Amino acid sequence: MIEPLPQAAAEVFGDRLPLAETYAQHLATTGVEWGLIGPRELDRLWTRHILNCAVVKELLEPGDTVGDVGSGAGLPGLALAIACPDVSFTLIEAMERRVDWLTMVVDDLGIDNVRIVRARAEELVDIEIFTAVTARAVKALPQLIEWCAPLLSPEGRLLAIKGDRAQEEIYKSKKAVKAHRCQSPVIKHVGEGILEQPTRVVEVIRR
């Protein structure tokens, strides 16, 4: 059974909450049927997944162009696109089945600040450039920096949603940070005062 709509959802999504609810219904039905999200995740669909991602909007600015690497079920990219109508998102996903699902959901939502690209991040170097790149549950930070830094404009930010081992991943990423001329990674917590458990984001800025 899908998790009841938390009160925090209205604060995060504002007048676009109905779009977020439609997205949640897709995750709970076709998302499960297509194998993009496990049925055991439905009782925490909002708090653990949708809102956990959407609060990263605190780190975005109007006019940003965001590449979401390994979009999968649209987490975080599609959740953020619903929450941030003044930001442009490119959902980057290599698997055809997931691209088809994302296309179906975006078409149903009718939002115009999203495009979908079937590719791996490393295939888009010299083709795409973004002011920010987001990622969740894709790869450890050293590999993410290798893939994503070449897609960032100067002063562009990699925003990687991470768990309890974030600091350990930062320590292991020193070589990649230096190789790609990035500033030292910083851990930021977003959703404080909104979510019971704020979201941990590692921010890496390209010089």
Side-chain angles (χ1 to χ4, degrees), residues 166-187:
Q167 192 61 56
E168 181 182 337
E169 289 192 32
I170 288 174
Y171 179 77
K172 292 180 178 179
S173 69
K174 290 181 178 179
K175 185 182 294 185
V177 167
K178 184 177 181 180
H180 290 281
R181 301 175 64 84
C182 296
Q183 297 179 20
S184 297
V186 175
I187 294 177

Side-chain angles (χ1 to χ4, degrees), residues 94-108:
M95 291 184 62
E96 182 177 10
R97 172 173 52 86
R98 294 176 180 177
V99 168
D100 289 344
W101 185 85
L102 288 168
T103 301
M104 175 183 70
V105 175
V106 169
D107 286 348
D108 186 42

Side-chain angles (χ1 to χ4, degrees), residues 110-172:
I111 56 178
D112 60 5
N113 62 327
V114 175
R115 65 188 180 103
I116 301 163
V117 174
R118 186 185 176 194
R120 299 182 184 279
E122 57 268 35
E123 296 170 344
L124 298 178
V125 177
D126 297 327
I127 298 174
E128 301 277 2
I129 197 78
F130 304 103
T131 60
V133 170
T134 55
R136 180 183 191 247
V138 177
K139 282 286 185 179
L141 191 61
Q143 185 65 68
L144 273 181
I145 293 171
E146 293 284 348
W147 285 352
C148 300
L151 301 178
L152 291 170
S153 61
E155 303 301 317
R157 301 98 69 204
L158 168 61
L159 304 173
I161 298 176
K162 288 294 179 182
D164 295 338
R165 300 178 65 182
Q167 192 61 56
E168 181 182 337
E169 289 192 32
I170 288 174
Y171 179 77
K172 292 180 178 179

Side-chain angles (χ1 to χ4, degrees), residues 7-116:
Q7 189 173 356
E11 184 174 350
V12 173
F13 289 104
D15 61 4
R16 285 165 75 88
L17 181 57
L19 291 172
E21 291 182 279
T22 300
Y23 172 49
Q25 284 300 320
H26 271 291
L27 285 172
T29 54
T30 57
V32 173
E33 293 163 10
W34 290 41
L36 276 76
I37 194 165
R40 294 182 180 179
E41 298 301 310
L42 297 187
D43 62 355
R44 56 178 190 169
L45 188 63
W46 283 99
T47 50
R48 176 68 181 88
H49 297 288
I50 299 173
L51 291 173
N52 174 264
C53 292
V55 292
V56 178
K57 73 176 191 175
E58 295 176 24
L59 302 178
L60 298 176
E61 299 176 2
D64 265 333
T65 56
V66 179
D68 183 50
V69 171
S71 285
L75 300 165
L78 189 48
L80 281 167
I82 295 169
C84 303
D86 50 3
V87 175
S88 298
F89 291 83
T90 299
L91 308 184
I92 302 165
E93 174 55 55
M95 291 184 62
E96 182 177 10
R97 172 173 52 86
R98 294 176 180 177
V99 168
D100 289 344
W101 185 85
L102 288 168
T103 301
M104 175 183 70
V105 175
V106 169
D107 286 348
D108 186 42
L109 293 173
I111 56 178
D112 60 5
N113 62 327
V114 175
R115 65 188 180 103
I116 301 163

